Amino acid sequence: MTAVAPPYPDAGLLHVVVAGGGIAGLTAALALHAAGFDRVTVVESVRASRPVGAGLNLMPAAVRELDALGLLPRLEAGALRTRELRYYHRSGGLISREPRGLGAGYRWPQLSLHRAHLQQVLAEAVRERLGTAALVSGVRVTGVEPLADGRPRVQLVHRDGAVRGRASLEPDVLVGADGIRSAVRAALNPGEGAPPWNGTLIWRGVSRMPARSVGTFMFIAGDDRQKAVVYPMSTPSGPFREVLVNWALARPVGETDDRYLGDWNRPVPVDTFLHHYEGWEFGGVSVPEVLRAATAAHEYPMVDREPLARWTHGRTTLIGDAAHAMYPIGSNGASQSILDARALAHSLALHRDPAEALAAYEAARRPVTTELQRAGRRLGPEVVINLAHQRAPHGFTDIHQVIPAAELADIAERYAATGAAEPTTVNQGSPYDVRPAEPVLPAAAPR
């Protein structure tokens, strides 16, 4: 656990612009405010917030950081504590089951929740704590030019209906939190091109179903060709005791349109892919039944970003998907964005020179996230599905004759260690807390 940082002495003077009002950007604003930085402006290209994507899991380390920001009660009001994760062979055989969150010995739970709920909690907190002017919608960063003193000149485009305006800002610090197609990243790395695609298509959606039809666990099932991820993400409610269910399916396809690389919101009818999953049932949960209960579905190619050798240029840096977009494996995307945000604010509070602060933040975070990106390409802990199918394509009666218990445990433990996410490390508490400024007491009157 690192030393608690004192607040930056000139925090009230430093102007930080955050490009992107997603999970990374909003958490960065809140973390900076908690560290004493009041002049924070988040610019978001979307004019009105909408429920982007579907569900997600927040790992205990990320929940710890949101708890440190005072957000845990609000989050839990619309979330479910994930207690168990199961892996299944395509034939229905149980490969492994493991406790999650509190049941695995963490001091904080793992939370399953809708992305829109998390985004709403974060946005409301930003407006409450930093003021409504801190979150500016309909404004997109289009370019970044470094100035002689290291500060960035940020080019902005504002759109209000058919009217478009242009402006520029010269903040003290620029944080690129603008996602996998980051304009800030593109300005720092011209010519990088579109996110690389691995040939797999993902379908995602949310269903509302009776709790009895879904179970109380999260599962990942399939083989080395296709898989399904299904989990409840709310507590039962209403006369029919229904819950929200998140699902994500993956399957290789021949080709896709490059225009959709990195586009998370392309709607498709469920019938276009449901037939690939007929007969899939695991632990009493029918995948086709879950899919037929969906109100909508979206598809996108499975893409990530090549790890960068450098995130920081002077007083400009990257966080979240802009820095290290990774495959949706191991539930690390949103969680690592939250850890980035807290680490960034902590580093700015610890160093008087903003450029040194950003360099220190990158030195702490880039090696970890780079290894997680690479682990995702190796399928992380989900590789057990591939191993089980390759070694026993027609199923098994005893999984430990296929994959020894020690090998299963080693796969899970190695992945947790990659992100410093094992209970012993997480339970030490947040390494990113900033000590509040001590009041200056008046001098005692002479006797």
Side-chain angles (χ1 to χ4, degrees):
M1 183 173 173
T2 61
V4 176
Y8 180 74
D10 298 320
L13 303 177
L14 205 71
H15 183 207
V16 182
V17 168
V18 180
I23 294 169
L26 294 172
T27 307
L30 293 169
L32 286 163
H33 177 264
F37 297 90
D38 294 321
R39 296 184 64 208
V40 181
T41 306
V42 179
V43 295
E44 168 56 46
S45 61
V46 177
R47 285 205 57 79
S49 179
R50 55 179 176 157
V52 178
L56 55 82
N57 273 277
L58 291 179
M59 297 296 100
V63 175
R64 176 193 67 192
E65 298 308 322
L66 294 175
D67 187 24
L69 292 173
L71 301 175
L72 187 54
R74 292 191 195 184
L75 287 173
E76 289 216 80
L80 182 70
R81 291 186 175 186
T82 309
R83 291 179 169 83
E84 184 180 49
L85 169 61
R86 300 182 185 181
Y87 291 100
Y88 285 97
H89 188 280
R90 179 170 178 166
S91 66
L94 180 65
I95 298 171
S96 68
R97 60 195 301 172
E98 55 188 63
R100 308 295 286 181
L102 301 176
Y106 291 93
R107 288 173 54 194
W108 289 269
Q110 175 177 325
L111 294 181
S112 296
L113 70 168
H114 200 293
R115 181 179 293 269
H117 173 62
L118 173 58
Q119 190 114 350
Q120 181 181 8
V121 168
L122 294 173
E124 288 177 352
V126 168
R127 294 188 182 100
E128 290 170 4
R129 299 176 189 184
L130 286 95
T132 56
L135 184 52
V136 182
S137 60
V139 175
R140 179 167 55 91
V141 172
T142 58
V144 182
E145 175 190 349
L147 301 175
D149 62 0
R151 290 181 304 121
R153 177 179 288 132
V154 186
Q155 304 299 326
L156 304 168
V157 170
H158 171 74
R159 169 168 279 177
D160 188 358
V163 178
R164 176 180 292 190
R166 297 181 180 275
S168 65
L169 283 177
E170 296 179 5
D172 298 296
V173 172
L174 173 63
V175 180
D178 46 344
I180 193 169
R181 285 188 172 273
S182 166
V184 177
R185 177 175 175 136
L188 301 179
N189 301 274
E192 183 180 27
W197 177 46
N198 72 353
T200 298
L201 202 61
I202 296 177
W203 298 280
R204 298 192 71 168
V206 175
S207 302
R208 182 176 288 278
M209 302 179 66
R212 66 178 182 277
S213 301
V214 187
T216 58
F217 51 88
M218 171 182 181
F219 74 76
I220 303 174
D223 56 26
D224 50 8
R225 286 285 299 167
Q226 65 184 67
K227 71 174 183 179
V229 180
V230 179
Y231 54 86
M233 55 179 181
S234 68
T235 55
S237 63
F240 301 106
R241 305 292 290 165
E242 292 182 321
V243 297
L244 288 178
V245 183
N246 184 72
W247 52 266
L249 314 172
R251 178 181 170 85
V253 297
E255 59 184 23
T256 191
D257 190 327
D258 287 351
R259 292 176 300 170
Y260 298 115
L261 296 179
D263 182 354
W264 301 74
N265 290 290
R266 184 182 176 189
V268 293
V270 171
D271 289 343
T272 60
F273 54 84
L274 190 151
H275 60 282
H276 294 304
Y277 296 88
E278 290 290 359
W280 281 41
E281 183 173 321
F282 307 98
V285 180
S286 167
V287 174
E289 184 179 337
V290 171
L291 300 182
R292 291 189 180 99
T295 55
H298 294 82
E299 72 174 15
Y300 62 92
M302 187 184 287
V303 295
D304 64 357
R305 278 293 192 186
E306 293 293 337
L308 288 175
R310 182 181 180 188
W311 291 354
T312 302
H313 297 249
R315 294 189 179 193
T316 299
T317 196
L318 304 171
I319 66 173
D321 281 354
H324 49 69
M326 57 188 71
Y327 292 156
I329 289 172
S331 302
N332 258 303
S335 293
Q336 293 303 317
S337 296
I338 290 165
L339 292 169
D340 285 350
R342 286 279 285 167
L344 173 67
H346 178 266
S347 193
L348 279 167
L350 198 62
H351 296 81
R352 288 179 176 269
D353 182 348
E356 290 181 6
L358 300 189
Y361 148 74
E362 178 183 329
R365 292 294 300 154
R366 186 167 57 81
V368 175
T369 57
T370 295
E371 186 51 40
L372 284 170
Q373 285 180 287
R374 292 172 176 156
R377 291 182 172 183
R378 299 189 299 266
L379 302 183
E382 296 175 22
V383 74
V384 298
I385 292 175
N386 290 26
L387 292 176
H389 186 258
Q390 291 163 4
R391 298 177 187 179
H394 303 295
F396 50 82
T397 54
D398 183 356
I399 184 58
H400 295 138
Q401 292 180 352
V402 180
I403 309 177
E407 185 178 2
L408 286 171
D410 182 60
I411 290 170
E413 289 168 4
R414 276 190 289 112
Y415 186 74
T418 298
E422 66 278 0
T424 302
T425 302
V426 174
N427 288 349
Q428 292 178 23
S430 174
Y432 306 125
D433 283 336
V434 176
R435 184 172 56 242
E438 297 180 2
V440 178
L441 300 177
R447 293 180 179 272

